[in-house]
Amino acid sequence: MVAEVEAMYAETRRETGLAAMSPAVRAAMGKVERHRLISREQQGSAYANRPLPIGSGQTISQPSIHARYLELLQLKGQERVLEIGTGSGYQTVLLSHLVAQVFTIERIAALYTMARDAIARAGAKNVSMLLGDGTVGWREYAPYDAILVSAGGPSIPQPLVEQLAEGGRLLVPVGPMEEQTLKLVTRRGTDIETRDVAPVRFVPLYGTHGWEQQ
């Protein structure tokens, strides 16, 4: 499975400016059993490189997208990371193998419960979860070395920018509901650098600093 993901991930390297998949990300993807973090109905497609439904109108991204996210954050192992959109918990568990502490927020109660149980079964001990509005972040544990957003919003949520540590990176899809641009935001003292990475398509980011829930 890892070799297949690595091959598909390689197809996107030119547009993102990334090198080959790092040993750390490759090792994490080899450790996490994706089929244990999705529904039984979808387990036959667990290792296909495509998004899958996880309930409540949400999806889990294809493995190559998770790999791209993790590589763009340039994680070294000692970071405190905030994840917006726990979803199935797959990306959360990947992060747990790559950083010191993961803080993750899910706004949908049913997914929160499902992910909480799946993360516990996966044995991830360095994960803290919150049920709430991810667009306002989690100030109690800020600042964060990295923040990644797993849904697309109309603009970059300002609270997330404010909760970045010095040198911290924020990955967030921004644009219309139909298609977004993945943006990489980096804090340099009082300066905020923003770089467009690639066109992407994510589920809508709802919340105070996202789309208004209909």
Side-chain angles (χ1 to χ4, degrees), residues 88-101:
S88 70
Y90 174 67
Q91 184 169 252
T92 316
V93 178
L94 286 174
L95 283 166
S96 76
H97 290 286
L98 292 166
V99 303
Q101 185 68 42

PDB file of all heavy atoms in Angstrom, residues 88-101:
ATOM      1  N   SER A  88     -12.318  10.792  10.232  1.00  0.00           N
ATOM      2  CA  SER A  88     -12.258   9.394  10.665  1.00  0.00           C
ATOM      3  C   SER A  88     -11.168   9.159  11.702  1.00  0.00           C
ATOM      4  O   SER A  88     -11.146   8.127  12.360  1.00  0.00           O
ATOM      5  CB  SER A  88     -11.994   8.490   9.455  1.00  0.00           C
ATOM      6  OG  SER A  88     -10.663   8.681   8.990  1.00  0.00           O
ATOM      7  N   GLY A  89     -10.224  10.107  11.798  1.00  0.00           N
ATOM      8  CA  GLY A  89      -9.092   9.937  12.702  1.00  0.00           C
ATOM      9  C   GLY A  89      -7.846   9.396  12.029  1.00  0.00           C
ATOM     10  O   GLY A  89      -6.793   9.281  12.661  1.00  0.00           O
ATOM     11  N   TYR A  90      -7.922   9.105  10.725  1.00  0.00           N
ATOM     12  CA  TYR A  90      -6.768   8.528  10.021  1.00  0.00           C
ATOM     13  C   TYR A  90      -5.573   9.482  10.016  1.00  0.00           C
ATOM     14  O   TYR A  90      -4.455   9.113  10.400  1.00  0.00           O
ATOM     15  CB  TYR A  90      -7.171   8.174   8.591  1.00  0.00           C
ATOM     16  CG  TYR A  90      -6.018   7.697   7.726  1.00  0.00           C
ATOM     17  CD1 TYR A  90      -5.375   6.493   7.997  1.00  0.00           C
ATOM     18  CD2 TYR A  90      -5.583   8.452   6.644  1.00  0.00           C
ATOM     19  CE1 TYR A  90      -4.315   6.050   7.212  1.00  0.00           C
ATOM     20  CE2 TYR A  90      -4.527   8.022   5.849  1.00  0.00           C
ATOM     21  CZ  TYR A  90      -3.895   6.823   6.132  1.00  0.00           C
ATOM     22  OH  TYR A  90      -2.843   6.400   5.353  1.00  0.00           O
ATOM     23  N   GLN A  91      -5.816  10.715   9.596  1.00  0.00           N
ATOM     24  CA  GLN A  91      -4.726  11.688   9.560  1.00  0.00           C
ATOM     25  C   GLN A  91      -4.214  11.989  10.966  1.00  0.00           C
ATOM     26  O   GLN A  91      -3.011  12.198  11.167  1.00  0.00           O
ATOM     27  CB  GLN A  91      -5.204  12.982   8.889  1.00  0.00           C
ATOM     28  CG  GLN A  91      -4.124  14.026   8.724  1.00  0.00           C
ATOM     29  CD  GLN A  91      -4.598  15.152   7.833  1.00  0.00           C
ATOM     30  OE1 GLN A  91      -4.181  15.295   6.699  1.00  0.00           O
ATOM     31  NE2 GLN A  91      -5.503  15.969   8.364  1.00  0.00           N
ATOM     32  N   THR A  92      -5.103  11.970  11.938  1.00  0.00           N
ATOM     33  CA  THR A  92      -4.722  12.193  13.331  1.00  0.00           C
ATOM     34  C   THR A  92      -3.712  11.153  13.793  1.00  0.00           C
ATOM     35  O   THR A  92      -2.708  11.481  14.431  1.00  0.00           O
ATOM     36  CB  THR A  92      -5.971  12.134  14.235  1.00  0.00           C
ATOM     37  OG1 THR A  92      -7.044  12.863  13.641  1.00  0.00           O
ATOM     38  CG2 THR A  92      -5.666  12.696  15.609  1.00  0.00           C
ATOM     39  N   VAL A  93      -3.985   9.894  13.464  1.00  0.00           N
ATOM     40  CA  VAL A  93      -3.089   8.821  13.878  1.00  0.00           C
ATOM     41  C   VAL A  93      -1.765   8.909  13.127  1.00  0.00           C
ATOM     42  O   VAL A  93      -0.694   8.669  13.702  1.00  0.00           O
ATOM     43  CB  VAL A  93      -3.760   7.447  13.689  1.00  0.00           C
ATOM     44  CG1 VAL A  93      -2.805   6.323  14.081  1.00  0.00           C
ATOM     45  CG2 VAL A  93      -5.031   7.355  14.530  1.00  0.00           C
ATOM     46  N   LEU A  94      -1.804   9.267  11.842  1.00  0.00           N
ATOM     47  CA  LEU A  94      -0.558   9.497  11.111  1.00  0.00           C
ATOM     48  C   LEU A  94       0.282  10.552  11.828  1.00  0.00           C
ATOM     49  O   LEU A  94       1.489  10.368  12.045  1.00  0.00           O
ATOM     50  CB  LEU A  94      -0.854   9.955   9.686  1.00  0.00           C
ATOM     51  CG  LEU A  94      -1.359   8.912   8.688  1.00  0.00           C
ATOM     52  CD1 LEU A  94      -1.733   9.601   7.379  1.00  0.00           C
ATOM     53  CD2 LEU A  94      -0.307   7.846   8.425  1.00  0.00           C
ATOM     54  N   LEU A  95      -0.353  11.659  12.204  1.00  0.00           N
ATOM     55  CA  LEU A  95       0.349  12.738  12.901  1.00  0.00           C
ATOM     56  C   LEU A  95       0.938  12.261  14.222  1.00  0.00           C
ATOM     57  O   LEU A  95       2.018  12.700  14.627  1.00  0.00           O
ATOM     58  CB  LEU A  95      -0.602  13.905  13.138  1.00  0.00           C
ATOM     59  CG  LEU A  95      -0.907  14.796  11.940  1.00  0.00           C
ATOM     60  CD1 LEU A  95      -2.121  15.681  12.231  1.00  0.00           C
ATOM     61  CD2 LEU A  95       0.304  15.649  11.574  1.00  0.00           C
ATOM     62  N   SER A  96       0.224  11.374  14.899  1.00  0.00           N
ATOM     63  CA  SER A  96       0.687  10.909  16.210  1.00  0.00           C
ATOM     64  C   SER A  96       2.032  10.202  16.123  1.00  0.00           C
ATOM     65  O   SER A  96       2.769  10.136  17.113  1.00  0.00           O
ATOM     66  CB  SER A  96      -0.364   9.988  16.854  1.00  0.00           C
ATOM     67  OG  SER A  96      -0.359   8.696  16.257  1.00  0.00           O
ATOM     68  N   HIS A  97       2.353   9.672  14.935  1.00  0.00           N
ATOM     69  CA  HIS A  97       3.644   9.011  14.735  1.00  0.00           C
ATOM     70  C   HIS A  97       4.735   9.983  14.314  1.00  0.00           C
ATOM     71  O   HIS A  97       5.908   9.612  14.256  1.00  0.00           O
ATOM     72  CB  HIS A  97       3.520   7.925  13.660  1.00  0.00           C
ATOM     73  CG  HIS A  97       2.713   6.736  14.090  1.00  0.00           C
ATOM     74  ND1 HIS A  97       3.189   5.792  14.972  1.00  0.00           N
ATOM     75  CD2 HIS A  97       1.455   6.351  13.762  1.00  0.00           C
ATOM     76  CE1 HIS A  97       2.269   4.862  15.158  1.00  0.00           C
ATOM     77  NE2 HIS A  97       1.207   5.176  14.443  1.00  0.00           N
ATOM     78  N   LEU A  98       4.346  11.229  14.020  1.00  0.00           N
ATOM     79  CA  LEU A  98       5.291  12.180  13.427  1.00  0.00           C
ATOM     80  C   LEU A  98       5.631  13.361  14.320  1.00  0.00           C
ATOM     81  O   LEU A  98       6.613  14.061  14.060  1.00  0.00           O
ATOM     82  CB  LEU A  98       4.716  12.706  12.108  1.00  0.00           C
ATOM     83  CG  LEU A  98       4.620  11.685  10.970  1.00  0.00           C
ATOM     84  CD1 LEU A  98       3.722  12.222   9.861  1.00  0.00           C
ATOM     85  CD2 LEU A  98       6.001  11.369  10.416  1.00  0.00           C
ATOM     86  N   VAL A  99       4.813  13.621  15.349  1.00  0.00           N
ATOM     87  CA  VAL A  99       5.013  14.814  16.182  1.00  0.00           C
ATOM     88  C   VAL A  99       4.890  14.453  17.660  1.00  0.00           C
ATOM     89  O   VAL A  99       4.485  13.346  18.018  1.00  0.00           O
ATOM     90  CB  VAL A  99       4.003  15.929  15.821  1.00  0.00           C
ATOM     91  CG1 VAL A  99       4.112  16.300  14.345  1.00  0.00           C
ATOM     92  CG2 VAL A  99       2.570  15.507  16.148  1.00  0.00           C
ATOM     93  N   ALA A 100       5.194  15.435  18.518  1.00  0.00           N
ATOM     94  CA  ALA A 100       5.141  15.193  19.959  1.00  0.00           C
ATOM     95  C   ALA A 100       3.717  15.192  20.495  1.00  0.00           C
ATOM     96  O   ALA A 100       3.363  14.382  21.354  1.00  0.00           O
ATOM     97  CB  ALA A 100       5.973  16.249  20.687  1.00  0.00           C
ATOM     98  N   GLN A 101       2.880  16.119  19.992  1.00  0.00           N
ATOM     99  CA  GLN A 101       1.522  16.234  20.523  1.00  0.00           C
ATOM    100  C   GLN A 101       0.570  16.682  19.427  1.00  0.00           C
ATOM    101  O   GLN A 101       0.890  17.598  18.665  1.00  0.00           O
ATOM    102  CB  GLN A 101       1.474  17.245  21.673  1.00  0.00           C
ATOM    103  CG  GLN A 101       0.134  17.345  22.381  1.00  0.00           C
ATOM    104  CD  GLN A 101      -0.218  16.091  23.180  1.00  0.00           C
ATOM    105  OE1 GLN A 101       0.648  15.534  23.852  1.00  0.00           O
ATOM    106  NE2 GLN A 101      -1.464  15.672  23.117  1.00  0.00           N
TER     107      GLN A 101
END
